[in-house]
């Protein structure tokens, strides 16, 4: 037996050295950054917390840095629900400085936990007034909006010469038996918005609508992805030509197809839309309040807002922002979308979800 | 994952050279679990839960239904896993043939793949009316856990003392009688041990039950996520996760009771397996083909999806991924790099802790068994609540680590830790103290003995543990997706994000990344298995000892 050690001391030392290096370099960078911070007030690094769907064009914050000297670090962590839950448990001692992506279905939960520090942006006059009204005290600033609507497969209905469903009430007709797939409001954000659409449309009768739909063969699946790409005839080998999705799904179908078709294969039923607004807020407890305010201003400025349509498929909230032609060409913007006041949503969401579970899932 | 060597229940545990080191080596891993698992759970419990939460949640009828569903679907899943794994386990455990190791590697891949990837593969594969059914759940659970049966039971089968079978045959026992009187007593421990591990995984299943079971079916784990994120009921989520831990602890303890003293008929030295008899070649081939087909089908479905854009064949997805033109702020190559860096750090930290822990487990005698149960703790903890616990615990002063990139690696070491310990424990038991004592007599210092004897003999197991932790880290989704991540996201998180968007090319990119991830996991698996042949020195050593 040779006595050459297979794991040589040198290797162990090398491993240890790598470990130390990792540790040191980490320590070194954070040391310098904090030193710089105290030395020159301008060189601040802000942490922007966002959900996983926050995907602006890479490098867009370089413009902000050039303008203000403030660096932005984007930190993603789960979906919007997870983001709000984490903001609630860390209220007052936040994980970052600014939070992107709380929407009107979750807003009140965050406001009740006193997560945000109020600020009124300098661009307030350019912002959609309906959206500003949702947070009158300025705890959060609206940044974008989108609509969750019934989408349908145009070709499927044309081939069979059936009229597509135009209202929620129409869906209960036996013509549309076994044709609708939705995602669960318990696990999916468009699913929740669609449940709220039915609450807004039918009031206290909403659960009756769902009971009828259950009779009429509505399929409830776990996620939007599963509904749209697992069962929707226009985008899978499924057998459901009606799906709950976004009003911006048709333009995405065109823009992300290769080659691009001349018109979208899907369409939206405008009377079934529920409007979602997303907000950005300064997290109470941040060390860099004034830098955070500048970042909020940047996020609602034209530069950033014009990036939103084609990267995240939402509408800018800033009315002065230009929307790309291809986005306008294929998108539908419902004029009178359904909505419910965030405080009511917060008060009754758990009860509604329990009812939904009882009526539809049991 | 093998427990073959447990029979060698360390008669040397009290030799002078080892007594001093055992409790000390347990300190670091126990402290690690204490700081990163127990402390966060305790913090969450004291800050966000009160007694009213407990009575509210536990008295609800839906909680009992959820608990009952979690239990029975897990039991059925265990049976499915055994049904699918038994033929290949018998083939690999009792026969020697060309391609045996490759078969064993390929059949194990399911275990290392992230559940969102496998679920996507099954969704692509199953006919639509089976998409959201219990059958789909059971099949997917079996898919993940074929490897557990294979890796735990086959080694025991390999070391089964054939003389006992011949003796039974000579005494007139038929095949059935031989199975009942010889095979079952010998295999009982391994079977129960594998069954318990599979039960725990399926009991706390999340993504599979969610995607394949449909929204009307909830395990405790998926209910925890709904409570925590959709409803914002953190107290309720924590109470449910405690209920989950309690159930799993009961199962582990029951399993321990059954497996105690279950070492009947196991030879202490490695048995050479018989060549595959010609009469069995056909059946062996069918088993191999069916198993490999079952394992590779969903993965092939992923690869095919990566080459399809809408209705056409296209390499647009691959082109987009490698030109960095993916939607979102991280390129896939960054995601690969981020995953690799996290996996590297997790493996280095994790293997050191697991080596220390397994050393203590094997050197502490009966108390070591308790330590072994303790090492399983991370399997029982819900990633959702652990994630929340971590961000409320490490939240200020110098220990505000919440968005440090290496925090994800820390979580991965926790998730992989129980598995790494299970890989290392049998190997520590294999290290003969005679060699160590001989070295001591010849004047070797403790450090020298550690390097030249223990670590040398452990090397294959260490390499396997590193690769295992690396693979777990590559595929880990649950806990990592709960933590905030700065910079690049890991592959599973990127895949999940891309699957959630409209547009054919975007979606194809998700399948490209999934295919890359499968390839990376397969490579890790080949490393784990490729190190097998190097165990020979230790086998020689143990043979020398028994002669």
């Amino acid at each position: 037996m040779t006595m050459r050690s297979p794991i040589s001391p040198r290797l162990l030392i090398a491993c240890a050295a790598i470990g130390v290096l990792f540790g040191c370099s980490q320590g070194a960078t954070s040391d310098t950054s904090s030193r710089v911070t105290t030395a020159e007030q301008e060189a601040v690094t802000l942490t922007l917390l966002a959900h996983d769907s926050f995907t602006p064009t890479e490098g867009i914050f370089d413009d902000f840095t050039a303008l203000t000297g403030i660096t932005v670090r984007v930190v993603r962590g789960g979906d919007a629900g997870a983001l709000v839950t984490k903001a609630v448990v860390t209220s007052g001692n936040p994980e970052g400085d600014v939070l992107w992506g709380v929407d009107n279905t979750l807003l009140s939960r965050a406001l009740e936990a006193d997560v945000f520090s109020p600020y009124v942006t300098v661009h307030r006059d350019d912002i959609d007034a309906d959206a500003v009204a949702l947070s009158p005290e300025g705890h959060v600033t609206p940044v974008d909006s989108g609509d969750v609507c019934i989408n349908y497969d145009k070709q499927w209905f044309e081939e069979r010469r059936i009229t597509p469903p135009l209202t929620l009430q129409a869906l209960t007709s036996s013509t549309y038996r076994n044709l609708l797939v939705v995602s669960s409001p318990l696990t999916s954000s468009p699913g929740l918005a669609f449940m709220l659409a039915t609450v807004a449309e039918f009031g206290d009768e909403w659960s009756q609508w769902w009971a009828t739909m259950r009779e009429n063969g509505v399929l409830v699946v776990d996620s939007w992805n599963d509904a749209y790409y697992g069962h929707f005839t226009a985008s899978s080998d499924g057998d459901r030509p009606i799906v709950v999705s976004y009003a911006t799904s048709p333009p995405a179908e065109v823009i992300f197809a290769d080659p691009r078709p001349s018109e979208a294969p899907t369409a939206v039923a405008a009377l079934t839309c529920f409007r979602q607004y997303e907000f950005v807020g300064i997290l109470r407890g941040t060390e860099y309040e004034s830098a955070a305010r500048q970042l909020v201003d940047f996020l609602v400025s034209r530069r950033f807002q014009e990036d939103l349509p084609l990267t995240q498929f939402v509408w800018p909230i800033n009315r002065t922002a230009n929307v790309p032609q291809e986005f306008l060409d294929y998108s539908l913007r419902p004029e009178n979308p359904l909505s419910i006041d965030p405080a009511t949503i917060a008060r009754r969401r758990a009860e509604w979800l329990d009812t939904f579970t009882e009526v539809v899932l049991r | 994952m093998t427990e073959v060597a447990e029979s060698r229940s360390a008669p040397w545990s009290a030799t002078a050279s080892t007594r001093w080191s055992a409790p000390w080596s347990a300190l670091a891993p126990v402290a690690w679990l204490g700081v990163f698992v127990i402390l966060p759970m305790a913090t969450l419990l004291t800050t966000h839960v009160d007694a009213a939460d407990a009575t509210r949640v536990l008295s609800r009828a839906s909680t009992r239904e959820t608990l009952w569903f979690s239990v029975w679907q897990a039991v059925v899943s265990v049976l499915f896993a055994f049904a699918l794994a038994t033929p290949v386990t018998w083939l690999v455990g009792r026969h020697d043939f060309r391609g045996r190791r490759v078969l064993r590697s390929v059949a194990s891949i399911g275990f290392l793949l992230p559940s969102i990837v496998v679920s996507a593969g099954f969704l692509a594969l199953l006919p639509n009316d089976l998409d959201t059914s219990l059958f789909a759940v059971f099949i997917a659970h079996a898919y993940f856990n074929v490897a557990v049966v294979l890796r735990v039971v086959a080694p025991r089968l390999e070391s089964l003392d054939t003389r006992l079978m011949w003796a039974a045959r000579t005494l007139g026992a038929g095949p059935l009688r031989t199975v009942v009187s010889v095979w079952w007593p010998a295999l009982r421990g391994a079977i129960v041990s594998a069954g318990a591990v599979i039960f725990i995984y399926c009991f706390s299943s999340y993504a599979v039950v969610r995607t394949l079971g449909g929204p009307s079916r909830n395990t405790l784990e998926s209910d925890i996520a709904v409570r925590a994120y959709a409803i914002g009921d953190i107290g309720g989520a924590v109470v449910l996760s405690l209920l989950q831990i309690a159930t799993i602890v009961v199962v582990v303890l029951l399993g321990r009771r059954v497996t105690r003293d279950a070492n009947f008929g196991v030879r202490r030295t490695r048995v050479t397996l018989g060549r595959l008899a010609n009469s069995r070649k056909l059946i062996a081939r069918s088993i191999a083909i069916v198993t490999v087909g079952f394992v590779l089908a969903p993965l092939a479905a992923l690869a095919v999806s990566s080459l399809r854009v809408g209705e056409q064949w296209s390499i647009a997805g691959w082109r987009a991924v490698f030109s960095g033109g993916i939607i979102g702020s991280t390129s896939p190559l960054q995601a690969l790099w981020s995953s690799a860096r996290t996996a590297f750090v997790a493996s280095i930290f994790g293997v050191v802790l697991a080596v220390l822990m397994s050393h203590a487990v094997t050197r502490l005698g009966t108390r070591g068994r308790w330590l072994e149960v303790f090492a399983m703790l991370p399997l029982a903890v819900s990633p959702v609540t652990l994630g929340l616990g971590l961000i409320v615990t490490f939240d200020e002063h110098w220990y505000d680590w919440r968005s440090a990139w290496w925090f994800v690696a820390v979580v991965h070491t926790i998730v992989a830790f129980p598995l790494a310990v299970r890989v290392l424990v049998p190997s520590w038991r294999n290290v003969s103290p005679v060699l160590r004592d001989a070295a001591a007599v010849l004047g070797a210092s403790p450090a020298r003995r550690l390097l030249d004897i223990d670590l040398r003999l452990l090397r294959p197991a260490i390499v396997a543990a590193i690769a295992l932790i690396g693979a777990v880290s590559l595929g880990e989704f649950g806990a990592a997706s709960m933590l905030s991540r700065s910079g690049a996201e890991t592959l599973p998180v990127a895949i999940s994000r891309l699957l959630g968007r409209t547009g054919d090319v975007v979606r194809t990119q998700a399948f490209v990344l999934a295919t890359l991830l499968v390839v990376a996991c397969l490579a890790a698996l080949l490393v784990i298995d490729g190190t097998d042949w190097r165990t020979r020195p230790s086998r020689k050593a143990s043979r020398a000892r028994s002669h």
Side-chain angles (χ1 to χ4, degrees), chain B residues 18 83 110 124 141 144 227 249 272 301 375 396-397 399 412 430 478 498 521:
Chain B
T18 57
H141 280 164
F144 287 111
R227 302 256 130 228
V249 167
T272 345
E396 52 188 355
H397 310 307
Y399 55 85
H412 288 174
N430 267 340
L498 291 173
C521 286

Side-chain angles (χ1 to χ4, degrees), chain A residues 274-335:
Chain A
F274 184 85
R275 183 149 297 172
Q276 276 184 320
Y277 291 99
E278 282 195 301
F279 301 87
V280 64
I282 299 169
L283 290 160
R284 187 172 57 83
T286 171
E287 284 174 61
Y288 310 113
E289 187 91 32
S290 72
R293 291 175 170 192
Q294 293 180 61
L295 178 58
V296 169
D297 291 339
F298 177 72
L299 293 172
V300 289
S301 73
R302 272 184 61 181
R303 170 73 185 95
F304 193 84
Q305 290 277 310
E306 287 178 356
D307 183 58
L308 287 170
L310 290 184
T311 56
Q312 300 177 62
F313 285 85
V314 288
W315 292 87
I317 208 77
N318 186 328
R319 286 167 311 185
T320 65
N322 292 317
V323 177
Q325 195 55 42
E326 52 186 346
F327 190 80
L328 287 171
D329 284 347
Y330 302 103
S331 297
L332 177 136
R333 187 67 167 160
E335 279 175 11

Side-chain angles (χ1 to χ4, degrees), chain A residues 84-296:
Chain A
V84 170
T85 295
K86 289 194 286 185
V88 167
V89 298
T90 57
S91 180
N93 176 21
E95 283 188 273
D97 306 295
V98 174
L99 185 141
W100 170 287
V102 52
D103 66 24
N104 48 328
T105 66
L106 297 162
L107 181 60
S108 291
R109 204 204 300 166
L111 294 183
E112 278 163 20
D114 197 12
V115 164
F116 296 111
S117 166
Y119 169 61
V120 176
T121 169
V122 296
H123 300 294
R124 180 174 176 145
D125 292 341
D126 296 332
I127 296 179
D128 181 348
D130 291 349
V132 174
L134 293 173
S135 173
E137 286 160 53
H139 282 93
V140 288
T141 307
V143 276
D144 61 53
S145 70
D147 299 284
V148 171
C149 318
I150 292 291
N151 280 219
Y152 57 86
D153 178 352
K154 289 200 295 205
Q155 197 189 342
W156 194 94
F157 285 97
E158 274 162 28
E159 277 171 8
R160 285 164 186 75
R161 301 185 184 284
I162 302 174
T163 328
L166 297 178
T167 61
L168 290 172
Q169 191 59 53
L171 282 166
T172 57
S173 146
S174 61
T175 316
Y176 306 116
R177 177 177 292 273
N178 297 332
L179 297 189
L180 171 65
V181 57
V182 307
S183 48
S184 167
L186 290 161
T187 47
S188 137
S189 151
L192 179 62
F194 183 66
M195 184 189 84
L196 296 174
T198 64
V199 175
E201 172 89 8
F202 301 112
D204 290 341
E205 310 283 288
W206 74 277
S207 62
Q208 190 49 49
W209 183 85
W210 280 99
T212 316
M213 282 310 291
R214 191 177 182 175
E215 298 287 305
N216 210 24
V218 60
L219 175 66
V220 186
V221 295
D222 176 57
S223 63
W224 171 87
N225 170 44
D226 201 6
Y228 201 85
Y229 282 108
H231 296 276
F232 185 39
T233 49
S235 50
S236 73
D237 57 358
D239 56 5
R240 304 261 164 176
I242 314 172
V243 69
V244 169
S245 189
Y246 300 93
T248 49
S249 297
E253 285 286 358
V254 175
I255 291 162
F256 287 117
D258 184 19
R260 286 188 184 186
S262 56
E263 62 170 309
T266 59
V268 164
L271 297 174
T272 61
C273 295
F274 184 85
R275 183 149 297 172
Q276 276 184 320
Y277 291 99
E278 282 195 301
F279 301 87
V280 64
I282 299 169
L283 290 160
R284 187 172 57 83
T286 171
E287 284 174 61
Y288 310 113
E289 187 91 32
S290 72
R293 291 175 170 192
Q294 293 180 61
L295 178 58
V296 169

Side-chain angles (χ1 to χ4, degrees), chain B residues 266-411:
Chain B
V266 175
R267 268 171 87 150
R268 305 212 154 191
T269 54
R270 196 64 73 104
V271 186
T272 345
L273 296 171
R275 296 288 308 175
L276 191 60
N278 275 330
S279 58
R280 282 183 179 168
K281 281 220 164 118
L282 182 66
I283 188 160
R285 256 188 221 123
S286 334
I287 292 174
I289 289 169
V290 169
T291 309
V292 170
F294 173 63
V295 168
L296 294 187
L299 308 184
L302 291 176
V304 169
S305 302
S306 81
L307 290 169
R308 290 190 68 87
V309 174
E311 298 292 303
Q312 279 123 29
W313 293 96
S314 161
I315 56 161
W318 288 88
R319 231 178 23 227
V321 164
F322 284 99
S323 60
I326 200 175
I327 188 163
S329 54
T330 35
S331 77
L333 292 178
Q334 277 176 312
L336 266 174
W337 159 239
S338 162
S339 273
R341 181 174 70 165
T342 309
F344 175 78
V345 175
S347 337
I348 299 301
F349 272 107
V351 83
V352 170
L353 293 163
V355 164
L356 292 170
M357 189 65 155
S358 51
H359 177 255
V361 164
T362 50
R363 295 303 130 107
L364 275 176
T366 44
R367 276 171 302 158
R369 306 213 106 205
W370 286 106
L371 207 55
E372 210 179 349
V373 173
F374 180 70
M376 299 295 125
L377 180 68
L379 289 183
V381 175
S382 151
V384 175
T385 37
L386 182 61
L388 281 181
L390 287 169
I391 62 171
V392 297
T393 308
F394 301 99
D395 64 340
E396 52 188 355
H397 310 307
W398 54 271
Y399 55 85
D400 185 351
W401 298 325
R402 293 174 295 187
S403 53
W405 68 268
W406 50 265
F407 211 43
V408 176
V410 167
V411 173

Side-chain angles (χ1 to χ4, degrees), chain B residues 19-32:
Chain B
R19 205 184 300 136
W20 61 271
S21 58
W24 296 110
S25 62
L27 269 186
V30 168
W32 181 266

Side-chain angles (χ1 to χ4, degrees), chain B residues 22-304:
Chain B
W24 296 110
S25 62
L27 269 186
V30 168
W32 181 266
L33 292 187
V35 169
F36 290 114
V37 180
I38 296 176
L39 181 64
M41 292 299 287
T43 312
L44 203 56
L45 199 59
T46 50
T47 52
H48 288 91
V49 187
D50 51 38
D53 285 323
T55 46
R56 176 172 56 84
V57 172
L58 295 178
S59 64
R60 221 180 17 222
S62 68
T63 304
R64 283 191 296 275
E65 279 165 32
T66 306
L67 177 62
W68 170 236
F69 175 72
S70 308
V71 171
W72 80 255
Q73 63 80 22
V75 171
V76 177
S77 298
V78 171
L79 298 178
F80 264 67
F82 271 95
L84 281 163
T86 300
V88 70
T89 306
W90 169 77
L91 183 63
V92 166
R94 291 303 315 160
H95 306 91
D96 194 16
F97 53 93
R98 219 151 41 112
R100 176 173 173 270
R101 281 226 319 270
V102 175
L103 176 62
R104 202 181 51 172
S105 296
V106 172
S108 309
I109 184 147
F111 190 74
L112 295 181
L113 294 176
S115 45
I116 51 156
V117 168
V118 174
S119 304
F122 270 103
L123 278 178
L125 200 64
L126 286 171
N128 261 323
D129 44 342
L130 278 182
D131 262 4
T132 48
S133 66
L134 278 171
F135 181 76
V137 171
F138 297 145
I139 285 287
H141 280 164
Y143 182 86
F144 287 111
N145 291 306
V146 161
V148 177
V149 179
L150 186 60
R151 296 302 171 116
V152 175
V153 180
R156 184 66 69 106
L157 208 50
E158 279 169 34
S159 56
L160 192 69
D161 193 338
T162 37
R163 288 171 305 186
L164 281 173
M165 281 184 292
W166 294 121
R169 285 288 172 83
T170 314
L171 293 170
L176 185 67
R177 185 63 197 264
T178 317
V179 167
V180 172
S181 316
V182 180
W183 287 51
W184 169 247
L187 297 178
R188 193 186 63 189
I191 290 175
V192 171
S193 171
V197 170
I198 300 173
F199 179 89
I200 292 171
Y201 276 113
C202 299
F203 178 75
S204 55
S205 172
Y206 173 69
V208 169
V209 170
R210 259 294 137 71
T211 26
L212 297 176
S216 59
R217 301 186 177 94
N218 261 323
T219 55
L220 285 177
E221 185 68 49
S222 61
D223 203 18
I224 289 169
V226 167
R227 302 256 130 228
Y229 295 152
I231 300 178
D233 173 15
I234 295 157
V238 176
V239 171
L240 286 177
S241 63
L242 291 178
L243 183 62
Q244 176 163 322
I245 293 174
T247 318
I248 289 175
V249 167
V250 168
V251 170
V252 169
L253 293 180
L254 280 178
R256 294 260 126 199
R257 263 188 96 82
V258 179
T259 51
R260 206 173 38 192
D261 310 321
N263 296 313
F264 169 83
V266 175
R267 268 171 87 150
R268 305 212 154 191
T269 54
R270 196 64 73 104
V271 186
T272 345
L273 296 171
R275 296 288 308 175
L276 191 60
N278 275 330
S279 58
R280 282 183 179 168
K281 281 220 164 118
L282 182 66
I283 188 160
R285 256 188 221 123
S286 334
I287 292 174
I289 289 169
V290 169
T291 309
V292 170
F294 173 63
V295 168
L296 294 187
L299 308 184
L302 291 176
V304 169

